[in-house]
Amino acid sequence: MDKPTHQGLTTQQAQELLAKYGKNTISSQDTYSILEAVFSQFVTVINGILAIGAVFSLLIGNYLDASFIFAIIILNALFGFFQEYKAEESMKRLKSYTAPTARVMRDGKETEIPAEELVVGDIVILSEGARVPADGKLVHTSNLEVDESILTGESLAVIKQISEDVFSGTLVNRGRGIVEVEKTGMNTRFGQIADTLASIEEDKTPLQKNFDHLGKTLSFSALLIGLMVIPVGLFHHVATIPLVLVAISIAIAAIPEGLPAAITIAFAIGTHRMAKRHAIVRKMAAVETLGAIQVILVDKTGTITQNSMTVKKHWLMEKDSLPHLLKACVLGNTASLIEKGDNDFEVVGDQTDGALLLFA
């Protein structure tokens, strides 16, 4: 590709536009609050029933039972909070690993800037392996192929021509191009998707729904059994206050105080096992949701697979021609391999070329 002739914006113009339209970032409405995270651990039907039981235990002078119930509620909440806090911190670290930059023309010179400082009108230079930093229109291209699977789910790269659009978050598999930025931040197609996802209401997991139903059933049954004692006692001319205290004691005894702790421990074991497989679980209840899935409907592979190509087998007419096959895999190969450690590589460029290069 010839050297870009587009002068781009001046530094002053870019600063004015940045102040006017804001940074090229995807805003998130899901802000993590430690206080909310702690409070959310207590808001369950079972915990509410246990708390009421603990209060009544205090009223009747049964301080040992009350202390035991309060301890279970607090330990259960703290355990769940620390698990979610660890997951949130892990996610923050993952985000900090990527600091995207963009090659742009500023003041007539090619320079590298943080992608968040891009503005409408900027001239961006794309090369193989680069991620498109904003939506824009191609003003120059040389054999440009872009992987748009992040938006469309289609694993095959799209060949781009002049005047066609490229979208933020997509990856350049091959070739080079020059893009004039038209949309940034939440105005990009990727930003619109993020905005749509942010408006989805969060539903309870299957286990949480069953847990709530169990809590209501237990509380209703316990209260019913406790209340049945009162008319029987009154029939035998027993004093009212002792009868009420006995009814409350029976109701408290019918509630399994150790159930929340047992479920939390089961969740913790599941999240620990997934952590060993490098899967971060933000909400412990999500472990049960994943386990409850029976059918997954997808339109193609790559949606739930690794979305990578690997040479598994090869066949030769003559066994001694393997060196020629390996040379053919390397010569004319446009991909690159980045070593990530432990014989693990990341492919930059065309996925097919990357698979052949890794095989060679």
Side-chain angles (χ1 to χ4, degrees):
M1 186 177 66
D2 298 332
K3 187 175 181 179
T5 57
H6 302 83
Q7 298 299 307
L9 301 174
T10 64
T11 302
Q12 183 177 354
Q13 288 175 326
Q15 290 177 348
E16 291 174 355
L17 289 169
L18 189 64
K20 183 177 181 180
Y21 296 106
K23 293 185 177 181
N24 177 37
T25 55
I26 305 298
S27 61
S28 174
Q29 297 180 3
D30 185 19
T31 55
Y32 184 76
S33 169
I34 292 180
L35 191 61
E36 289 181 6
V38 173
F39 180 74
S40 66
Q41 306 300 321
F42 293 96
V43 188
T44 64
V45 175
I46 290 290
N47 280 347
I49 297 170
L50 291 177
I52 293 172
V55 171
F56 279 121
S57 294
L58 288 175
L59 293 177
I60 63 177
N62 196 340
Y63 302 113
L64 182 61
D65 282 354
S67 302
F68 178 70
I69 295 171
F70 277 129
I72 286 179
I73 295 174
I74 294 172
L75 288 175
N76 176 53
L78 289 176
F79 200 88
F81 164 72
F82 282 123
Q83 177 62 38
E84 289 187 17
Y85 181 77
K86 284 170 58 181
E88 188 69 25
E89 290 299 306
S90 297
M91 292 178 70
K92 287 181 181 179
R93 285 196 296 270
L94 286 176
K95 291 178 181 178
S96 68
Y97 290 155
T98 57
T101 58
R103 302 291 300 179
V104 299
M105 296 296 296
R106 287 280 175 89
D107 300 316
K109 298 178 181 179
E110 183 178 338
T111 183
E112 186 174 76
I113 64 170
E116 65 178 18
E117 295 181 6
L118 280 176
V119 295
V120 175
D122 260 326
I123 301 298
V124 178
I125 300 168
L126 301 177
S127 57
E128 191 170 295
R131 194 167 292 279
V132 180
D135 288 6
K137 193 173 294 293
L138 282 165
V139 296
H140 193 90
T141 178
S142 176
N143 303 319
L144 185 67
E145 295 184 13
V146 180
D147 177 8
E148 296 183 344
S149 59
I150 192 172
L151 296 176
T152 64
E154 180 56 58
S155 58
L156 295 177
V158 180
I159 300 174
K160 294 290 185 178
Q161 306 294 339
I162 293 178
S163 297
E164 291 188 345
D165 294 326
V166 291
F167 304 103
S168 175
T170 58
L171 186 66
V172 178
N173 272 4
R174 181 179 293 176
R176 291 170 61 85
I178 300 177
V179 177
E180 182 177 353
V181 176
E182 294 183 334
K183 296 178 181 179
T184 61
M186 296 301 292
N187 293 322
T188 63
R189 184 169 296 187
F190 197 78
Q192 292 170 1
I193 294 174
D195 188 49
T196 302
L197 292 175
S199 63
I200 296 176
E201 293 184 5
E202 190 173 318
D203 195 14
K204 290 184 177 181
T205 67
L207 184 62
Q208 285 175 323
K209 292 178 180 178
N210 293 334
F211 201 36
D212 286 347
H213 177 71
L214 175 63
K216 293 174 183 177
T217 303
L218 287 175
S219 60
F220 178 77
S221 302
L223 289 173
L224 184 62
I225 294 171
L227 291 174
M228 287 174 62
V229 174
I230 297 176
V232 174
L234 291 175
F235 181 77
H236 289 86
H237 306 288
V238 179
T240 305
I241 294 178
L243 276 177
V244 173
L245 293 177
V246 169
I248 293 171
S249 300
I250 292 174
I252 293 172
I255 300 172
E257 294 91 345
L259 183 59
I263 291 178
T264 303
I265 291 171
F267 280 162
I269 293 172
T271 54
H272 180 67
R273 288 178 177 175
M274 293 192 71
K276 287 185 176 180
R277 295 175 178 266
H278 309 291
I280 297 175
V281 179
R282 187 176 180 183
K283 299 283 187 180
M284 286 201 296
V287 175
E288 186 273 339
T289 306
L290 187 62
I293 293 174
Q294 295 175 320
V295 178
I296 299 177
L297 300 178
V298 294
D299 60 344
K300 59 177 72 70
T301 58
T303 307
I304 58 173
T305 63
Q306 292 182 346
N307 196 26
S308 62
M309 300 180 66
T310 307
V311 177
K312 294 294 185 180
K313 295 181 180 180
H314 68 278
W315 178 84
L316 299 169
M317 292 185 65
E318 300 177 4
K319 293 183 178 180
D320 57 355
S321 60
L322 179 60
H324 299 292
L325 174 62
L326 298 180
K327 287 181 181 179
C329 291
V330 176
L331 295 176
N333 196 307
T334 61
S336 302
L337 298 177
I338 298 177
E339 187 174 4
K340 299 169 66 177
D342 298 329
N343 294 322
D344 188 17
F345 295 88
E346 180 181 350
V347 175
V348 177
D350 185 78
Q351 294 294 315
T352 304
D353 280 357
L356 296 175
L357 189 60
L358 186 60
F359 168 67

